[in-house]
Amino acid sequence: MTYVEGFVIAVPIANKASFIAHAEEFDALFVEKGASRVVECWAEDVPHGKQTDFYRSVAARDDEAVVFSWIEWPDKATRDKGMDAVMADPRMDMNNNPVPFDGARMIFGCFTPIVDMGA
């Protein structure tokens, strides 16, 4: 069954174009290493909550947008092997390829789907 890895990050609005370029390069690396699909979503209709919300989850500032992303893997074993390969790849060296966001505020986790409907 599919295995899903999800991410929420805050990206400076001024860095949107550089984020897209970064995502296109690095998302291809995940696919190269076994991911079935990678999706990056820029916040459009994301409400501010009274107790919690996406903005608070990543301590987003007024000049930042929330990005919600996920990687679909065929299964957990492929994800584990693929992520090991991604992290070992020299293209992931953040000294040579810094990310256009504050990675310390990223939230992420892996999930096993329990309901999957649609196309």
Side-chain angles (χ1 to χ4, degrees):
M1 177 175 261
T2 300
Y3 196 66
V4 178
E5 191 162 8
F7 308 86
V8 180
I9 58 175
V11 178
I13 295 167
N15 288 359
K16 184 176 182 179
S18 60
F19 174 79
I20 292 169
H22 172 83
E24 288 173 341
E25 178 181 352
F26 286 93
D27 292 355
L29 178 59
F30 289 110
V31 172
E32 176 186 313
K33 303 299 184 186
S36 309
R37 180 179 182 212
V38 182
V39 179
E40 306 280 359
C41 305
W42 192 266
E44 182 176 314
D45 185 11
V46 179
H48 288 272
K50 291 183 180 172
Q51 292 184 0
T52 189
D53 58 32
F54 277 101
Y55 299 98
R56 288 185 192 127
S57 73
V58 292
R61 297 183 291 262
D62 290 341
D63 65 339
E64 294 177 316
V66 172
V67 173
F68 176 67
S69 309
W70 69 90
I71 303 172
E72 293 177 14
W73 299 91
D75 51 50
K76 184 180 184 318
T78 303
R79 182 266 176 201
D80 292 348
K81 183 178 177 185
M83 280 304 279
D84 286 346
V86 165
M87 298 315 277
D89 192 292
R91 292 171 284 184
M92 285 298 289
D93 181 353
M94 293 303 134
N95 293 317
N96 295 327
N97 294 311
V99 296
F101 57 89
D102 180 1
R105 292 185 285 143
M106 176 187 337
I107 61 171
F108 59 92
C110 296
F111 301 83
T112 299
I114 56 174
V115 176
D116 186 351
M117 290 186 212

